[in-house]
Amino acid sequence: KNGWNFKLYRVLLLSNGHGEDLSGSLIAKQLLNSGFSVDALPIVGKGLHYKKEKIKVIGKTKEFVTGGIGYNSFQGRLTEIFGGEIIYLLRRLYLTFKIRKKYDYFFVVGDIVPVFFAWICKKDFFTYLVAYSSHYEGNLKLPWPSKFFLLSKKAKRIYTRDFLSANDLTLQLKKQAFFFGNPFMDKLFLRDYEFKKSEFSIGLFPGSRFPEILDNFVLILEVLEALSDFPYFQNIEFNFAIVNALSFSRIREIFQKRKWLYLDTRNEKKIVKFKYKSLKVNLCWNIFDEILLKSRCCISMAGTAAEQAIGLGKPVIQIEGKGPQFTRSFAEAQRRLLGKYVFCATKYQDKNDQINQTIKLIIKVVYLIKLNKKFLISCNEHGKKRLGENKACIKMVNDMNFVIKND
């Protein structure tokens, strides 16, 4: 469509896990718009993001308990390995190898696993290393064979998730790595202007993995119950972002047990309202982006939602959970990745202490947003530094076109 491609190039997108599939599907869509033919092979997960963008998904997929192969607690890793992860992985690898000749290029999203797949298949590949960042430890410590794969002539381009990582990798590999922004931010930047920021609303993100989401949900409720003692918060709109895995009946049960009052349901957007003392919350299914864009700040026990909030210049109050995904160590790694506008109570004696400290942080953040003009300006500048600017997909695909043209 844009006059680049005279030959129809076929690209296979390899990605690893829920967050990576989101980025993968957005890149795939942009490749299609630029005249490529695209299929997707998600290594884990059901590939729902690809299906939503009408990208053909290859092979039968399987969901892992911790939702991806990578950054999890030791216990989580064991569960996955005994969940047949290794055998499953080898089967996916064999499938990728079997179909490799159908494609001109692989586009790899995620971490070392799909990079290894591309290397074994001896395919020219482009890679967006969304799973790694120099912010975690000050410099990138890639798992052992990664550098070897990335230095291969087959690795046509390396895209990173932030400036620091691009500079760091370029030095480590003596081969240029690029940062064009992050695809999962694009659609949010596009819609940011839609939402009037008149009423003060706070987004609540308990995560998306079942059954962990139940514990996270209850912990956030406990925080809200304690907040209800402050009259100020009766004028603030709280919006829970809920995934389908958590049904209305399950939620109503939790609320009734905890003595919340059911108010009503607004059907046009599937929004349910509950009240505790003078504090009201809305429960919203599958409208993550709207909730995030409307929010002035977020209370989060989630992965991607917190990254997107920081990228949009919104402060995040994080609550450490039991896991298996959103554990203390995951939360701590997320704070290093996203920087100083992720606030979290970390030195607490027990759960009540954790809740009280979290409330102090919420009050502090609301106070800063309301009274300190400089605070949100620096949140915005910080977001651009950590997550980049708009149109990441277009920039990546244009760059890929340029490389192929000159190959």
Side-chain angles (χ1 to χ4, degrees):
K1 281 181 193 173
N2 55 13
W4 282 99
N5 281 323
F6 300 108
K7 171 179 188 273
L8 181 69
Y9 288 103
R10 303 204 51 175
V11 179
L12 180 68
L13 244 124
L14 284 169
S15 59
N16 181 21
H18 186 79
E20 281 88 353
D21 283 3
L22 171 61
S23 297
S25 69
L26 298 167
I27 293 166
K29 189 178 166 189
Q30 187 58 46
L31 283 167
L32 274 180
N33 290 343
S34 303
F36 288 85
S37 149
V38 189
D39 294 338
L41 197 149
I43 296 172
V44 296
K46 298 209 169 69
L48 296 176
H49 289 294
Y50 293 111
K51 289 171 185 161
K52 208 168 110 190
E53 298 296 351
K54 310 212 175 3
I55 308 288
K56 183 179 164 198
V57 174
I58 309 278
K60 282 196 175 64
T61 54
K62 166 177 167 181
E63 194 84 73
F64 284 115
V65 186
T66 43
I69 299 171
Y71 206 108
N72 287 308
S73 61
F74 183 61
Q75 216 178 337
R77 302 288 295 133
L78 286 179
T79 330
E80 278 188 352
I81 289 164
F82 291 118
E85 183 190 299
I86 300 298
I87 293 150
Y88 174 79
L89 262 185
L90 291 171
R91 293 224 305 270
R92 300 302 279 170
L93 180 57
Y94 174 67
L95 173 63
T96 312
F97 191 78
K98 219 167 58 177
I99 61 173
R100 72 192 187 285
K101 293 209 167 88
K102 283 188 183 167
Y103 302 96
D104 303 298
Y105 296 95
F106 280 6
F107 197 114
V108 171
V109 178
D111 59 12
I112 182 65
V113 180
V115 169
F116 169 66
F117 275 35
W119 181 80
I120 284 258
C121 292
K122 295 194 166 52
K123 282 316 259 195
D124 287 343
F125 68 94
F126 293 79
T127 178
Y128 164 48
L129 291 173
V130 67
Y132 302 121
S133 169
S134 304
H135 286 293
Y136 285 129
E137 295 178 54
N139 63 353
L140 257 189
K141 293 186 171 53
L142 291 173
W144 165 72
S146 316
K147 280 186 188 167
F148 177 69
F149 303 148
L150 295 173
L151 277 168
S152 118
K153 289 262 187 297
K154 297 280 175 199
K156 292 293 172 196
R157 268 287 201 261
I158 302 162
Y159 306 117
T160 62
R161 55 162 305 137
D162 46 49
F163 282 115
L164 193 64
S165 308
N167 296 339
D168 185 9
L169 258 187
T170 301
L171 286 170
Q172 284 191 38
L173 299 172
K174 300 186 177 43
K175 169 179 184 173
Q176 184 157 13
F178 297 82
F179 173 59
F180 290 125
N182 287 287
F184 57 80
M185 292 304 302
D186 284 358
K187 59 184 171 112
L188 293 163
F189 285 133
L190 269 178
R191 300 184 55 191
D192 203 14
Y193 64 89
E194 271 178 46
F195 295 89
K196 300 282 170 285
K197 309 283 192 298
S198 51
E199 73 279 0
F200 199 105
S201 84
I202 296 180
L204 310 169
F205 295 90
S208 60
R209 304 252 158 78
F210 198 79
E212 178 176 348
I213 184 174
L214 278 174
D215 297 331
N216 295 355
F217 183 72
V218 169
L219 186 51
I220 295 174
L221 279 188
E222 289 177 278
V223 169
L224 294 178
E225 286 161 13
L227 266 185
S228 69
D229 293 337
F230 299 87
Y232 178 78
F233 287 95
Q234 69 190 31
N235 303 321
I236 285 183
E237 182 183 296
F238 289 95
N239 296 309
F240 256 114
I242 308 285
V243 289
N244 278 337
L246 204 48
S247 67
F248 172 59
S249 54
R250 198 76 182 262
I251 280 176
R252 192 167 52 191
E253 209 177 293
I254 296 170
F255 273 119
Q256 281 169 346
K257 243 191 218 144
R258 307 192 66 86
K259 311 270 184 288
W260 283 67
L261 195 66
Y262 171 61
L263 293 177
D264 66 354
T265 305
R266 291 219 312 275
N267 270 344
E268 79 275 6
K269 278 230 168 138
K270 212 174 165 190
I271 295 173
V272 180
K273 290 178 178 298
F274 281 91
K275 181 178 174 173
Y276 188 86
K277 296 182 185 163
S278 64
L279 185 138
K280 296 187 200 62
V281 322
N282 301 319
L283 290 119
C284 321
W285 275 263
N286 297 328
I287 51 167
F288 268 70
D289 297 357
E290 281 90 333
I291 290 176
L292 190 56
L293 290 165
K294 244 179 22 181
S295 302
R296 304 290 279 279
C297 63
C298 297
I299 298 172
S300 167
M301 298 182 76
T304 310
E307 293 175 39
Q308 290 173 324
I310 292 295
L312 290 168
K314 298 171 193 288
V316 171
I317 296 106
Q318 194 196 47
I319 309 174
E320 296 177 341
K322 289 203 286 284
Q325 196 213 10
F326 205 79
T327 54
R328 193 170 222 175
S329 69
F330 184 96
E332 197 259 330
Q334 189 184 70
R335 289 196 296 280
R336 285 190 307 230
L337 175 68
L338 300 177
K340 60 184 176 185
Y341 295 112
V342 179
F343 299 86
C344 186
T346 54
K347 296 183 173 68
Y348 44 84
Q349 310 299 299
D350 54 27
K351 195 170 171 185
N352 278 342
D353 190 22
Q354 182 189 14
I355 289 169
N356 290 331
Q357 288 190 38
T358 302
I359 282 168
K360 282 182 185 148
L361 286 174
I362 295 169
I363 291 168
K364 172 184 161 177
V365 169
V366 170
Y367 181 85
L368 283 167
I369 292 171
K370 286 270 197 196
L371 299 175
N372 183 340
K373 288 275 184 288
K374 282 187 187 148
F375 177 67
L376 282 181
I377 293 171
S378 61
C379 281
N380 269 311
E381 286 167 2
H382 176 82
K384 298 260 181 295
K385 268 201 200 104
R386 289 285 163 122
L387 286 128
E389 311 250 357
N390 197 0
K391 300 198 172 148
C393 283
I394 294 176
K395 290 172 192 163
M396 272 185 204
V397 172
N398 285 348
D399 182 65
M400 190 175 159
N401 261 320
F402 173 76
V403 173
I404 291 174
K405 215 179 149 190
N406 295 304
D407 201 8

